[in-house]
Amino acid sequence: MKKNVNILLRLVNQILDFRKVENGRMELHLEPFDLLSSFRGWNDSFRMALLKKHISFFFEVTPDMDFRMMADSEKMERIYFNLLSNAFKYTKVKGNITVSIRKVKNEVEIRVEDDGVGISEESIHKIFDRFYQVDGQSSEFTLGTGIGLAVSKGIVELHKGSIRVESEVGKGSAFIVTLLMG
């Protein structure tokens, strides 16, 4: 019962965030943020999903790099959870998920990649549209609402960043978020 209540709460919060993004009312609360430390902590939240589906998870970071920046930590968590949840949702049993973080000049690139079902050419251009769901893709976890990626895109853009996807049906997808380090 508690699990279902938490799922419902997340859905309600996601809908509220979606409306804020859509109406231009979402505000950022910028603060010093350690991207690497936060991501490592958030990775632990997915441990049960890893075990349940026997997924190999790789977390790759350029060694000796400082990933501290100004960001809204709560909103960064929502982006990361959405991208990683989608990767788990569409990766088959005994599949692979890789999260990599690297610096490119004054930007940080976050790449969440899976070897799951992939996204078709016709769907890839709509994937960040509100309420869009890829046809015929289901999972043993939860079916989506089609607003998670739209909210994530809005939050990334509020941070003056960009998000894009690379995908091939049957081979998987990679979602790439680029943010300024300043």
Side-chain angles (χ1 to χ4, degrees):
M1 201 158 107
K2 184 178 179 182
K3 179 182 171 187
N4 289 336
V5 167
N6 286 334
I7 290 169
L8 203 54
L9 180 61
R10 269 188 307 220
L11 181 58
V12 168
N13 286 333
Q14 204 171 36
I15 291 168
L16 292 172
D17 283 346
F18 171 72
R19 293 297 294 163
K20 286 178 188 175
V21 167
E22 188 176 56
N23 293 324
R25 296 192 187 267
M26 181 172 274
E27 296 178 7
L28 290 181
H29 302 285
L30 298 177
E31 59 190 8
F33 176 71
D34 186 341
L35 185 83
L36 183 56
S37 173
S38 296
F39 277 31
R40 283 186 173 142
W42 297 335
N43 287 341
D44 287 340
S45 301
F46 291 90
R47 188 171 309 194
M48 291 307 294
L50 283 170
L51 296 172
K52 185 174 183 179
K53 290 181 76 175
H54 305 284
I55 291 174
S56 296
F57 181 74
F58 305 96
F59 188 66
E60 301 171 350
V61 181
T62 308
D64 301 324
M65 293 296 275
D66 183 5
F67 289 100
R68 287 179 287 185
M69 58 193 297
M70 293 298 289
D72 185 320
S73 60
E74 180 183 312
K75 290 177 181 63
M76 291 297 293
E77 181 180 26
R78 290 198 184 153
I79 294 166
Y80 191 62
F81 270 66
N82 182 266
L83 296 179
L84 208 47
S85 294
N86 284 344
F88 277 99
K89 190 184 298 186
Y90 297 112
T91 298
K92 296 176 183 171
V93 172
K94 296 185 180 178
N96 299 294
I97 295 174
T98 302
V99 173
S100 59
I101 305 172
R102 66 185 187 117
K103 271 190 182 177
V104 181
K105 297 181 183 175
N106 65 333
E107 297 178 327
V108 62
E109 181 185 274
I110 303 157
R111 184 179 184 95
V112 178
E113 189 169 3
D114 65 65
D115 64 358
V117 296
I119 305 164
S120 70
E121 285 277 332
E122 64 242 14
S123 293
I124 209 161
H125 302 290
K126 303 173 192 171
I127 201 76
F128 294 106
D129 293 350
R130 62 183 178 189
F131 304 119
Y132 183 77
Q133 293 177 293
V134 179
D135 289 333
Q137 291 188 353
S138 62
S139 99
E140 63 185 82
F141 292 101
T142 59
L143 290 174
T145 58
I147 61 173
L149 287 174
V151 170
S152 293
K153 181 180 182 197
I155 293 171
V156 167
E157 290 174 349
L158 276 174
H159 278 90
K160 307 291 188 232
S162 65
I163 184 170
R164 63 187 168 83
V165 63
E166 298 170 355
S167 188
E168 189 175 336
V169 173
K171 294 195 176 184
S173 303
F175 285 83
I176 301 101
V177 174
T178 305
L179 299 168
L180 290 173
M181 289 298 292

